[in-house]
Amino acid sequence: MNEKIAILLRAMRRCELTDREIELELKRSIEYMKYGPLEYQSISVKLSEVETQQIDWLWQRRIPLGKITLLDGDPGVGKSLLALTIAACVSTGRPMPDSTFGWQGGVILITPEDSPEDTIKPRMEAVGCDPSQVHLLNTAITYDTKTQDVYERPFSLSQDLKDLEMGIIRNHAILVVIDPLMAVLGRNIDSSRDQDVREVLTPLAQIAERTGCAILIIRHLNKGNSANSLYRGAGSIGITAAARVALLVAHDPADEQKRVFATIKNNLSKVATNLTFQIVENERGVPYIQWLGENHHTTSTLLRPGTHLSFERQEILKALKDASGPLDTKEISEHTGLKYASLRIILKRMQDAGEIVRLYRGKYTSPNHPSMTDKSMVMNGDTNETSATSATKSTNYLPSSEK
């Protein structure tokens, strides 16, 4: 068809037709070729002409090549660290964390919220990456037609997919990590509107298909309480629909210090077994992942804190129930033997889950404790306001560790 159009265009120019006449004639000719006589090329493709291909996996049954994979989880649970660990494996070609086959190739990181100098590079070095295979794509070059200036701006999926595709081809990339999705969707894209996200993710999926590159998208969970984990990701359900595989990182219900890496959707194969890991630090204080083997938690228990209380939470509840009155964080640490720093995080999560109650002066108690009868001591939500006098509202009465 292109050859016929070129011949027709040359003929019309020899006839000295105007640009408008040429434009109209070309439109009529293309319409005729598309929908006219049968000898012209069909706009459809026969299934018999499609070449059958098998699914290739960057990480067996977890991250397919040529497809979009979604990685969900709460903030601070270790999603980004996990993605960098996978990227490090790809950069060197060593096996994946479960000892399955690992591909070697280029990696593109789109991570605008993390500093390359003090976060990304130290973390990838801690797990043995090849930095020459890792490329950052956090900005795009733009030409301003009004000022005739060339400048850099933050990378945007809605505007810079061509840059991404060229980056994949030039750097022989087989993995792209986008972390987090909401930071690079584009300012004119409403993440809660299905149509908006599909307009971005559909061409992104086509780039993955054309290049054979695995695209791993990281997303935070919302604050909902749906029993279906597919509806817990932030934004439109269209985001989950665009991914062929959806993964989840969550706290281990049986151990507050461990994480569970699970699969919540897989349209391409059997679901992979859950893995357990914990986050530790090297001698320089840089965090890395220590893998601890398989587990068999269901996703419904992973996203409902308190369904199966961890050992730490059980110890905290026992200390609060046995105490004659409310306890502050330091007192709970003394009763349970838990470290103060990690205890503060656990107490906050238990409070959010309704497992404990935070009282005036930063003290905690169990929901049915006798001290709960003094309603003036109970805090309103996450604020420090109570029904006591204005003097008791002053933050000067709070311990410095709780301010």
Side-chain angles (χ1 to χ4, degrees):
M1 185 182 289
N2 284 333
E3 292 177 1
K4 294 179 183 296
I5 295 292
I7 294 171
L8 180 60
L9 183 58
R10 288 195 296 269
M12 287 188 291
R13 284 175 176 167
R14 283 196 298 269
C15 295
E16 297 184 352
L17 297 180
T18 66
D19 290 343
R20 180 58 177 166
E21 290 172 334
I22 291 175
E23 180 183 348
L24 293 174
E25 187 59 36
L26 283 178
K27 286 184 177 180
R28 283 195 293 265
S29 299
I30 292 172
E31 290 295 305
Y32 180 76
M33 291 179 186
K34 287 172 62 178
Y35 307 118
L38 295 178
E39 63 264 22
Y40 287 107
Q41 179 180 343
S42 171
I43 60 174
S44 62
V45 178
K46 293 180 182 178
L47 185 60
S48 60
E49 298 174 352
V50 175
E51 182 180 351
T52 302
Q53 296 178 349
Q54 68 175 15
I55 298 294
D56 288 323
W57 296 87
L58 184 74
W59 186 350
Q60 191 65 31
R61 292 194 292 171
R62 289 187 174 89
I63 303 178
L65 288 165
K67 310 291 181 184
I68 292 177
T69 299
L70 197 60
L71 176 59
D72 286 337
D74 283 321
V77 79
K79 304 184 299 300
S80 299
L81 192 57
L82 173 58
L84 293 182
T85 301
I86 296 169
C89 290
V90 174
S91 73
T92 59
R94 66 177 181 268
M96 286 296 169
D98 61 351
S99 299
T100 55
F101 173 79
W103 290 80
Q104 195 278 331
V107 176
I108 292 178
L109 301 179
I110 304 175
T111 55
E113 294 185 351
D114 286 327
S115 166
E117 295 84 3
D118 60 31
T119 301
I120 295 175
K121 188 173 182 179
R123 290 183 176 188
M124 295 199 72
E125 287 178 338
V127 289
C129 83
D130 178 355
S132 68
Q133 293 291 327
V134 181
H135 308 269
L136 301 177
L137 184 58
N138 292 330
T139 59
I141 297 175
T142 298
Y143 174 70
D144 190 322
T145 56
K146 294 182 179 180
T147 63
Q148 297 184 346
D149 288 333
V150 176
Y151 64 95
E152 287 189 3
R153 57 165 173 73
F155 178 89
S156 167
L157 286 175
S158 62
Q159 302 178 66
D160 304 317
L161 286 180
K162 184 64 177 179
D163 288 15
L164 175 58
E165 185 167 8
M166 291 305 299
I168 293 172
I169 295 170
R170 289 171 177 169
N171 299 310
H172 307 288
I174 60 173
L175 172 64
V176 172
V177 176
I178 300 174
D179 179 18
L181 173 63
M182 300 307 175
V184 296
L185 265 180
R187 60 184 180 182
N188 296 323
I189 301 298
D190 184 348
S191 62
S192 63
R193 292 188 71 242
D194 192 73
Q195 182 177 353
D196 279 16
V197 299
R198 288 180 185 272
E199 286 180 359
V200 173
L201 296 185
T202 297
L204 180 63
Q206 292 168 347
I207 289 175
E209 191 79 28
R210 285 195 298 269
T211 61
C213 183
I215 297 181
L216 180 62
I217 295 176
I218 295 179
R219 180 179 64 161
H220 296 318
L221 295 175
N222 60 37
K223 296 182 180 180
N225 55 5
S226 173
N228 189 336
S229 55
L230 293 177
Y231 292 90
R232 285 294 312 278
S236 165
I237 189 63
I239 298 173
T240 306
R244 299 300 85 198
V245 177
L247 307 170
L248 173 71
V249 177
H251 288 278
D252 189 325
D255 190 332
E256 190 74 26
Q257 304 305 315
K258 295 179 182 178
R259 309 289 191 269
V260 176
F261 178 43
T263 304
I264 57 178
K265 170 189 172 181
N266 190 330
N267 289 351
L268 305 175
S269 75
K270 290 173 58 179
V271 173
T273 306
N274 295 350
L275 299 177
T276 301
F277 68 87
Q278 64 183 1
I279 299 174
V280 295
E281 293 183 350
N282 62 16
E283 63 280 359
R284 294 177 296 160
V286 178
Y288 68 94
I289 286 178
Q290 183 180 70
W291 295 94
L292 303 173
E294 298 181 354
N295 68 76
H296 302 284
H297 293 299
T298 62
T299 54
S300 59
T301 61
L302 295 177
L303 296 180
R304 289 192 297 179
T307 304
H308 297 284
L309 293 180
S310 65
F311 171 79
E312 291 87 347
R313 295 192 185 201
Q314 292 179 35
E315 288 296 297
I316 292 170
L317 277 178
K318 183 176 184 299
L320 293 177
K321 290 177 180 177
D322 293 345
S324 57
L327 303 176
D328 61 25
T329 306
K330 182 178 179 181
E331 291 170 327
I332 296 173
S333 177
E334 293 172 351
H335 280 76
T336 62
L338 299 174
K339 292 182 179 180
Y340 186 86
S342 59
L343 179 60
R344 292 185 63 187
I345 298 174
I346 299 173
L347 290 173
K348 178 64 169 63
R349 290 175 181 150
M350 292 182 72
Q351 179 190 352
D352 292 343
E355 297 164 0
I356 61 175
V357 178
R358 186 168 187 260
L359 304 178
Y360 175 62
R361 294 181 184 271
K363 291 181 178 289
Y364 297 88
T365 190
S366 57
N368 298 318
H369 197 276
S371 60
M372 288 292 293
T373 57
D374 185 358
K375 299 298 183 183
S376 66
M377 295 290 287
V378 182
M379 297 179 64
N380 295 323
D382 292 328
T383 69
N384 290 334
E385 295 183 3
T386 70
S387 57
T389 65
S390 58
T392 63
K393 291 182 181 179
S394 172
T395 55
N396 293 330
Y397 284 81
L398 288 172
S400 60
S401 62
E402 299 294 333
K403 291 180 182 177

